[in-house]
Every structure is written in structure tokens, then in C-alpha cells.
Amino acid sequence: MSETSSVILAGVGGQGILLASNILSRAALLAGHDVKTNEVHGMAQRGGSVVAEIRYGEKVHSPLIEPFAACALGSLEQIEALRYAHVLAPGALAVVSRMRLVPTTVSSGAAKYPDDIGERLARAFPNLRHIDAAAAAEKAGNPRANNLVVLGALSMGLDFPEALWEKAIAECVKAKFVDMNVVAFSLGRRLAS
Amino acid sequence: MQELMSGNEAIARGAWEAGVTFASGYPGTPSTEILENAVQYKADMYCEWAPNEKVAFEAAAGAALAGARSFCTMKHVGLNVAADPLMTLAYVGTAGGFVAVVADDPGMHSSQNEQDTRQYARFAKIPVLEPADAGEAREFMKKAFGISERHRTPVILRSTTRVSHARSLVALAEREEHPPTGFVKDPPRFVPIPAWGRKMRVKVEARLHELRTAAELSDLNRVEMAGNELGIIACGIAYQYVKEVFPEAAVLKLGWSYPFPDATIRDFASKVKRLLVVEELDDFVEEHVRSLGIPCDGRDLVPGIGELSPERLRIVRARMEGRDTEAATMVAEAVDLPGRPPVLCPGCPHRGVFTALGRFDVVVAGDIGCYSLGVMPPLNRMDTILCMGGGVSVAHGIAKSGEKKKVVGMVGDSTFFHSGITGLLDVAVNRSDVVICVVDNRTTAMTGHQDHPGTGRTLMGDDTVAVSIEEMARCCGINRVRTVYPYDIEATVGAFKEELEAPGPSVIVSRAPCPLARKMTLGKPLKVVAEKCRKCGACLRIGCPAIEAADRRPSINTNACVGCGICPQMCKFDAIRLDQEEEERALT
């Protein structure tokens, strides 16, 4: 029986984690895998830390990923990547957007956003792609397409052909947004190659 | 055909395939998306949001008594609200199939407690089914209707967060048609006056006996025999974790956990050397296994507080094998990260109310909704939360207790209609000197923006009467009723001041629609003028996530700001303004 692959996506509620999770699970499905995902709804969504877990393989039981078991991590925000770093297998691919979203705990003075975030990411993730996803999203025509850029970069470490990803995107977003999302996705691929 | 679906989508699909013609519910995480998905089948299946779970349950019961296949949906604490009709529908029984879908929230991701719904099934002496993923959710939903009709009993389908919100492949089928048979008058069957109720009471026990036999024979319970060293009895999502962590163990998967299939349990236990029960929350099955005189492990090894996970079962396994247990810890770079709790969104109208209330030394009894977040720093303006509607009645009780401080009760619009009205009657009739603030953002926001009796729209998308909160308050006997616009802080403060000073109860309706629900902005993004800012921190005390600060120097994230205009009202130095370009544009 083939191993189950696990991917974790992290970010802040409202950043589009659910769409990225939808596209990734659709791609796995198109590739002929059994798929399970776990997503966060409800209270935690309101600007809180949010995570989606996607698992695929011949037969998947648990929708939850065990520590150090994910084969890839994509994060739409920098400190959120660190928060879930213990889920990633040692040395596995981490794609982290350079996005810095300051939590209210920092603004209120109760906590501090790490000054050395770049060094921390490099230490925690030996296989890191620290990318300017926001600039790429802007270039694709939508500053909110940060999620597709990160997914594109992440796709370089996942074993699905590019055409299959494009099919998955087309099945998950409204027709008029397909082109923009495909552009953002391919810019992400370029950033990681 | 197979589709990737969440458990909640699959429950809706299963109901439609089962020929259901009536569905009602009240939103509550993690159950909300069941009805939101059910409504796509509205051509075949009537769907509605009810004002609360009791009403939803009763309405679905009514449809079932009239021979329709019906179901209702709610979260675990919603079943407390619906417990009254549940306990007696169990006596009366049903004509058409009736299923109550109840979603538990182990780990309290979005809830105030983590009660185990299976206890209600035993309490009411009715069956409970526990699907382990979306595929089973669809299948079990269909089987639940068969069980309900065959045994004339309500059935509970218990989901949990990781079943409702996890997605997996679901096999689809066509809809079976079960047109409602119509109401057939039969008072001894449908009316539990004591004379007939006593007969029903006897029938309930006989039915429980029949159900036990049916559960023994049902394919909802199955044995997956492997080695005989370890046998595990598992229910719901826990089954999936068991398959990951104990792949070599024999498993008795209980999909129909109550009434307990005693013979199946005894037979399974006799075939394995060691027996372990793995279930989330209460030791519901384990306690029964022990009562059969069968030795087993369970709560001695498997935690009953919080939700289970493969990670937690790995620790159980290590402990069973006498190995050291180590929970995974965060990486060193992550130990001092700032937390990111959920917060009121930029532009949230509730922020105005909390900011205004921050000027008064009062006790604030709160309630369940987005505004529950007002308890957190820096707002810190909520002192109690109990349950839906509790914001009104708890305020009443605090005031009547002789509390020296003035008392404010806070309740949302959807929550007001859910169960705030009855509390308000208590306030009015028994004359407590409280100010009840209904924070009306024109939607049920926290659960993802559902309609309610005040919005003028039904779940099916039709226009309808929009019930007025002010008129309702006056009908309840409140004489002082007023409305404020919460983005105007001084006016809101003024309203609270007057009403707190006025004798007798008042209602203040704070009305402004949730900008997130309408996908709207209230104005142009604002900017902090660095030369004018004195770093006093006043703007940071409103807890707006669009205002970011390092060393107390605030700046506004223009992508997040919706221009609600609350922060400029906090600034004494006129340092928060429109972007200069925007200002020039506004002048020309």
C-alpha cells in the first residue's frame, strides 16, 4: 500500500486557506488518490490562526496529520508557518509568504512580533522557499491571490503535473477568475524553481 | 459516482437521497453547513432556519407526525434547548422518519462546553448513529430514516467537528421518493395525556428491546478481525485514528452505538486477549462494557477531555507498550510566538458598543455570538457568558440580587430572537433596573451569516416579514426603547448614560449591518499622520486588527481598513485621517 501524503496549509482567517485546500484536494483527486481534508470553520475564522490539512494516498483514514508527518507546508503568513513547523517532516519543503500580519496581541503591546523572523524561518525549515507572494499576486492582478502563489510554489514539491493543477483550479474557482488564478499559480511555481 | 464532500454536505445529500421533504434547524458550529447545503435541494425538500433549536425540533416532529420524512439540525448545546420535545417525541414516536442531526464539538473549537450527545440517546431511550467520515455520514443518514420508520422512533445522528468539517469521498445515489402520507388522526397514538402516556411508556421499553436486536444485526456495527492480541471498540472519528495508530488490532466499529449491541460486544471481547475502548468525550460505551462484566481499558489510558487525534493515540499506544511517552512540542523558533486569537473584524459595529461601554463602571452580562469576543483584551467589556439568551436573564438576576453596580445585558439580534425575548419578559414584568443592549448586525454572524426572523429573508431565498426588535421589546412591556448607530461613539455613550440613569428597564438597539456579511466598506481606508501622533495608545484600545503597532506607534493596514471611522474618534490629536491623496480627491 502506498504511503499517505500529508500537506499542511497555514495562515490567518480570511486569507483564502479554504480555496487553496480545495484546489490541492481536487488535484489529488484528479490524480486518482483517496483524499481527506480537515478545515477550520466558525469562531476561529475571525482573523485567528487558521490551518487546513490535506491527506491523500491509496486509502486515507484520519483527516488529521500527526507531528513531523507532513511532506510539505505552505504558509500565507510568516509566524503562522512557525506555529505549525512541528507538523512538517524534518527537511521537508516549506513555502512561506513574506506576508507579515501583525496580531492584535502585538499591537496592544502584550506580545512582540519577532524581529528575526527571516533567520528563525531559515533555522526551522532547512528546505525553505521564503517568497514575496504578495508582489507576485499583485502582478497576477489581485493582491488577494497570495494563496494561489504559495500553492504554486508548493506544487513544485508535489508530484502532480502542471496541467492537472490547472484543471483543478478551473474546477474550484468561478470561470471569470480562472485565468488570474492560473497566472498567480504559475508565478508561484516560478518563484520556487 | 463519487464526490469530495464535507461531512455536513454529505448529511444534506443523504437526507435528500432518503426522500426527506422537510428540514429545519438553527445555526451552530459545527452543524451550520448541513442546512446551508440542504437548501440546494429545495425543489424537493423544504428547508428553513427556525428561531431556535426547540422550534426546529418541534417543527420537524410535526412534519414527521404528518407522515413526512423530516430532520432537524443543531449543535450539541442546541439539543439542550430542544431537550423538552426530544424526551416526549421519544414516547409519541413518529409516522414519517425523523432524524435529529446533532454535531458535538470535542475540544470546544467554537463552543462553551463539550457535552456528549450520546447521553441524550440513552436518556430518551432512542437510537444514536455515529458516522466516522463523510461517506458514512451520507449512508448513515439514509439508514437512520429506515430505522426511524421501522421502529416508529426518533433517531439521533451524532456528528463531531472532525466529521462535519473534514472532507472525503462520498458515493452518490439517486433520490428515493417518500411523499408524505398525510396526517392520520389517532389521538391515543399522538397525545401523551397521562392515560395514554403510561401506555407509551411501556412501549418505549419494548421498542428499546427491539432496537437492541436490530443493532445486533445491523451492518452499521462491524468487526474487522485481525490478530487477537488487542481488540479495540471504537466509535465515530476515533475509529479513523485507531486504524492509523493500531493497524494490527482487531476492531469492533460501532456505527450504531446505542442501544448497545451486547451480544456483538461479548462475542468480540471473547476473541481478543486485551480489550480497549476508544471514544471521544464520555466513557459511554466503556461504562457499559464494564457493566457487562467484561474487563477493558479505556479512560485509564485514553483522555476523555478534549478531542482525540492520532497524536494522542500514539501516546496511548506508547503507554500500553511501556515506552516513554513524549508529546510533540513546538520547534524552538516558535515557543515565544505572539498568539493570534480570533478578533472582531475591522469595521465591526460591535466595537463601537464595547468602546462606549468601556466608559462605564457596570457589570456586563454577555451572550453567544461574535460579540463574545468583546470579553478579550483590549476591550475587556464583558463579564459573564452562560448560554444563548443568558445575556438578558443573567443581567436580570444580577440586578435583582442587590448588586450595587448598574447592570447591562448584551445579546445579539439572532440570539434575541432565539431566546432573549422570554428573558426580556422577565425583565419587564418583574421590573429589574437593567439596560439590555441588542447588538443588531442584521445577521447571524459568528456561524457565517445566516438569516433570522429580523432579516426579512428565508433560507430558501424568499422575501418575508422582518420582525422588528424595537416593536418586540415594546410588546414585551419595555417602555424605554431606543436605537443607536454604534459607529457614533459619543451618541452611543450618551444613550447608555441616559438609560443607565433612567429608572426601570430599557432596551438599546445598536443597529448597523455586519460589513463582512455585506462585503462592504464604510468609507475610504484611513491613515495615521506620523507628525501628529503622540503614541498615546488610545486607538489601540479598540482592538482593531487593521491598526498595527510596533512600540506603540500605530499604522493602519489599508488593505484591512474598511473606513468605519471609530479610531479617529478615539484620537485627541487628530492624527487619524483619510489618506492625503484621498483627502485631496474628496475636496475636488
Side-chain angles (χ1 to χ4, degrees), chain B residues 143 145-153 210 214 256:
Chain B
K143 290 192 169 157
F145 284 99
I147 295 168
S148 174
E149 284 176 2
R150 217 169 301 124
H151 300 277
R152 293 186 170 183
T153 178
E210 285 167 29
W256 179 348

Side-chain angles (χ1 to χ4, degrees), chain B residues 78-253:
Chain B
L79 190 57
N80 301 333
V81 179
D84 193 0
L86 167 74
M87 298 309 288
T88 302
L89 188 67
Y91 277 38
V92 171
T94 65
F98 173 96
V99 179
V101 181
V102 186
D104 288 3
D105 190 16
M108 299 190 264
H109 296 278
S110 210
S111 306
Q112 65 272 41
N113 78 20
E114 56 174 13
Q115 67 192 47
D116 189 329
T117 289
R118 298 177 301 172
Q119 304 286 14
Y120 268 112
R122 181 161 54 183
F123 192 20
K125 302 176 193 291
I126 61 168
V128 61
L129 309 186
E130 295 187 69
D133 62 16
E136 286 193 354
R138 168 198 156 274
E139 181 200 341
F140 285 23
M141 193 65 183
K142 294 173 80 170
K143 290 192 169 157
F145 284 99
I147 295 168
S148 174
E149 284 176 2
R150 217 169 301 124
H151 300 277
R152 293 186 170 183
T153 178
V155 175
I156 293 176
L157 185 108
R158 181 218 193 195
S159 182
T160 55
T161 302
R162 304 303 185 181
V163 173
S164 280
H165 289 165
R167 289 186 300 144
S168 61
L169 286 171
V170 179
L172 305 182
E174 290 304 309
R175 175 175 163 94
E176 306 161 12
E177 289 301 336
H178 289 273
T181 54
F183 183 75
V184 181
K185 187 178 167 77
D186 187 356
R189 181 176 168 193
F190 294 132
V191 184
I193 53 168
W196 293 328
R198 287 184 200 113
K199 292 195 172 114
M200 293 175 189
R201 173 76 187 87
V202 176
K203 274 193 191 165
V204 166
E205 293 303 323
R207 186 182 67 200
L208 197 59
H209 183 71
E210 285 167 29
L211 286 165
R212 194 170 292 123
T213 310
E216 298 281 8
L217 300 172
S218 171
D219 58 2
L220 293 166
N221 296 325
R222 67 165 188 264
V223 172
E224 296 172 5
M225 219 50 212
N228 66 350
E229 290 296 322
L230 175 65
I232 299 178
I233 302 177
C235 313
I237 190 72
Y239 162 81
Q240 309 290 2
Y241 306 153
V242 164
K243 294 299 279 184
E244 295 261 342
V245 177
F246 298 93
E248 81 294 355
V251 178
L252 168 56
K253 181 185 182 301

